[in-house]
Amino acid sequence: MNLENLDALSQKIQSMLEALRTLKSEKLAAEKTIAAKAANEEVLQSEVAEKSKQIEAAQAEIANKSAELENVKAELASKNSELDALKATLAERESELESIKASVAEKDAKLEDMDRVVSEQGEEIQSAQEKFQTLLSTIENELGTEIPVQSPGEESQEQPAADDSQKPAGESAQPDFFG
């Protein structure tokens, strides 16, 4: 019995050793798999850390761009208000220009009217001078003498003030053509 027990015990030990070897090999395979998975996890964690850094950098860049955008928006709003002010000034100046144009047009019309009046008066004066010359010519022909004619401005320049004082009172300063 001892021998049989020994054989049975030996077989049990053999089968246990076999199971132990299988377990050791499975353990080694599992440890290798675990090590590979751990290495893979570390790679993934480093990739996640890298991606996190990239995300943080992108978020910082977005924040910077947002701040720049806000600055540009503020500058644009300022430029728009300046543009509105310039448009208002331009409209005011255009209104002033239209007012000045209307005033100039009115003054041009008055000037044209005055030019017409001066032209008409010049024609009347010319006509009166021609009639005067004709009348003077007729009088000179009747009298047979030439009568000197001076304009009022010439008369006061050519005659000294002493001549007026030598004339007797009651006589006119105009020469008497019939006397």
Side-chain angles (χ1 to χ4, degrees):
M1 205 161 166
N2 253 342
L3 193 58
E4 273 180 25
N5 280 338
L6 202 55
D7 259 349
L9 188 58
S10 174
Q11 282 180 352
K12 282 185 184 179
I13 289 176
Q14 197 66 10
S15 99
M16 284 177 86
L17 284 174
E18 201 53 45
L20 186 61
R21 279 187 214 123
T22 304
L23 283 175
K24 279 185 180 181
S25 108
E26 285 178 5
K27 178 184 172 191
L28 187 59
E31 285 177 349
K32 284 181 182 178
T33 304
I34 289 173
K37 298 240 181 203
N40 193 21
E41 184 181 340
E42 287 179 16
V43 168
L44 289 175
Q45 284 180 349
S46 70
E47 287 179 7
V48 166
E50 183 65 30
K51 297 293 180 185
S52 293
K53 287 179 185 177
Q54 289 176 353
I55 288 171
E56 288 174 5
Q59 287 174 337
E61 187 174 341
I62 288 171
N64 287 338
K65 295 295 181 184
S66 293
E68 287 177 19
L69 181 61
E70 290 303 317
N71 289 340
V72 168
K73 283 181 180 178
E75 188 176 332
L76 181 61
S78 172
K79 295 295 182 187
N80 281 339
S81 70
E82 287 178 25
L83 179 62
D84 290 342
L86 288 174
K87 283 180 180 178
T89 301
L90 181 61
E92 184 180 313
R93 296 286 163 84
E94 286 175 350
S95 173
E96 289 174 7
L97 181 61
E98 290 301 317
S99 174
I100 290 170
K101 282 181 181 179
S103 175
V104 166
E106 183 181 314
K107 288 179 182 177
D108 281 346
K110 285 181 182 178
L111 185 60
E112 286 177 15
D113 188 45
M114 288 178 172
D115 283 344
R116 184 186 51 77
V117 168
V118 166
S119 175
E120 288 173 0
Q121 288 178 349
E123 290 171 4
E124 289 176 10
I125 290 171
Q126 182 68 29
S127 175
Q129 284 178 340
E130 288 173 3
K131 288 178 182 177
F132 176 75
Q133 286 299 328
T134 304
L135 181 62
L136 182 62
S137 194
T138 303
I139 292 172
E140 287 175 341
N141 285 340
E142 291 291 321
L143 292 176
T145 64
E146 191 172 309
I147 302 172
V149 179
Q150 297 175 340
S151 66
E154 292 175 356
E155 184 176 312
S156 64
Q157 291 176 355
E158 290 179 7
Q159 293 181 356
D163 286 346
D164 290 338
S165 62
Q166 293 176 353
K167 292 186 181 180
E171 281 192 30
S172 138
Q174 186 174 8
D176 186 14
F177 294 114
F178 300 106

